Amino acid sequence: MRAAEGGGYPKGRIRREDILTAAVAVYGEAGYHGSSLREVAKRAGITHAGLLYYFPTKEALLAAVLERRDAEDSEREQLDAPPGREVLAHFVALAEHNVTHPGIVDLYSRLAAEAVAPDHPAHDYFVRHYRLARESTSESFRVLAEQGELRDGVDPAAAALMFVALMDGLQVQWLTVPDEVDLVGTLRHFLGSVLAKPL
């Protein structure tokens, strides 16, 4: 089995991770459209042909970068917890992690902006990503509403949409003027405005 298919020898897995790390750096500097597989290969210290063994297309490499970020976030912050306060707390913890890793936040924000175009290779990923984020938070707000833990008049679906939009919008503003935007504090403030008791 080839390493690109998820298995392979330890050396192959390490090489694959080296390529992904190089891709994150290149995408962060030049964006997806401004990058090339040759530049990623150069950064990873391998030949262009060597990179193609692991990632036969530029789109395959981008997908792997995004999937790695999601897997790392989900594992670290336990984003697949049962719906409720715990899921919302994990999203806040993710924001706390993000403010200590501006490079990956910058990459994510650039790719999200580029991917609004339907023909962008990451468009379907972001459609799926945002849908899952909205569904996860909406279900959490719905569970909290059933437990009497949402303020009167708060619609769970609307609160979820606002929370996800606020999280991503704050990231862009924080990247632009980090000394003026309290990403985590603002998220906590929003949750305090919709929850019956603080998170």
Side-chain angles (χ1 to χ4, degrees), residues 6-192:
Y9 296 103
K11 184 177 178 183
R13 287 194 298 272
I14 291 168
R15 178 57 51 95
R16 187 176 191 276
E17 286 302 309
D18 289 345
I19 294 168
L20 292 176
T21 299
V24 167
V26 172
Y27 292 165
E29 293 167 12
Y32 174 77
H33 287 299
S35 67
S36 71
L37 291 179
R38 289 188 188 281
E39 178 59 27
V40 173
K42 183 179 173 185
R43 291 281 182 97
I46 62 171
T47 65
H48 182 239
L51 184 145
L52 293 176
Y53 174 79
Y54 295 94
F55 302 101
T57 65
K58 192 175 175 185
E59 292 80 8
L61 179 57
L62 175 62
V65 166
L66 294 170
E67 287 164 10
R68 182 174 80 164
R69 178 187 188 264
D70 280 355
E72 288 171 350
D73 286 350
S74 185
E75 182 178 341
R76 184 183 54 256
E77 306 304 342
Q78 302 171 349
L79 297 178
D80 56 352
R85 296 174 72 84
E86 191 177 352
V87 166
L88 300 178
H90 289 315
F91 273 103
V92 172
L94 176 59
E96 289 172 339
H97 171 80
N98 285 348
V99 297
T100 64
H101 296 82
I104 195 68
V105 176
D106 183 83
L107 169 63
Y108 171 86
S109 298
R110 286 173 189 264
L111 288 174
E114 286 184 5
V116 297
D119 62 343
H120 191 282
H123 179 79
D124 291 342
Y125 163 85
F126 278 100
V127 168
R128 209 168 42 251
H129 174 81
Y130 284 125
R131 182 180 297 124
L132 289 172
R134 288 192 308 270
E135 288 172 356
S136 173
T137 52
S138 181
E139 182 66 10
S140 292
F141 284 125
R142 187 189 62 74
V143 165
L144 291 171
E146 289 173 356
Q147 295 171 348
E149 292 192 44
L150 272 193
R151 292 182 187 271
D152 291 341
V154 174
D155 175 69
L161 180 61
M162 287 185 279
F163 182 72
V164 173
L166 182 63
M167 191 166 180
D168 272 23
L170 281 170
Q171 287 185 155
V172 173
Q173 290 189 54
W174 171 75
L175 286 167
T176 307
V177 284
D179 295 338
E180 298 177 22
V181 176
D182 180 357
L183 198 160
V184 176
T186 306
L187 284 177
R188 287 188 180 281
H189 179 77
F190 171 77
L191 289 173

